[in-house]
Amino acid sequence: MSEEILEKMKEMDTRMNESHNLMMEKIGSIQDHVDEIGQTLGITEKQTESIQGNFEKTETVIQQIKKINSSTQ
């Protein structure tokens, strides 16, 4: 009887270890995806900042054109 219990405990331990390893593998995969998303968001943020800078430069040029137009009229 105790050999059966010991065998069942070993089987349970093996299954628990396998489940733990699978869970750690999935966590690693999720972390890889999170890192990839973070990199994408970082690139998008830089692009947004660049676009904002371009808008600001364009606005400055428009203001300068308006000043020139008003001074020539």
Side-chain angles (χ1 to χ4, degrees), residues 5-16:
I5 293 173
L6 185 59
E7 187 62 34
K8 295 284 184 190
M9 289 176 67
K10 286 180 183 179
E11 288 175 15
M12 189 184 323
D13 185 54
T14 299
R15 281 185 273 155
M16 284 176 32

Side-chain angles (χ1 to χ4, degrees), residues 32-67:
D32 290 345
H33 288 296
V34 168
D35 291 345
E36 187 177 323
I37 290 168
Q39 289 174 349
T40 301
L41 289 174
I43 290 169
T44 303
E45 184 177 356
K46 288 178 185 174
Q47 289 171 336
T48 302
E49 290 170 0
S50 175
I51 291 168
Q52 181 64 36
N54 289 340
F55 281 142
E56 290 169 1
K57 290 174 187 174
T58 302
E59 184 62 31
T60 302
V61 170
I62 290 170
Q63 293 303 323
Q64 290 171 346
I65 291 170
K66 285 180 180 180
K67 285 181 186 176

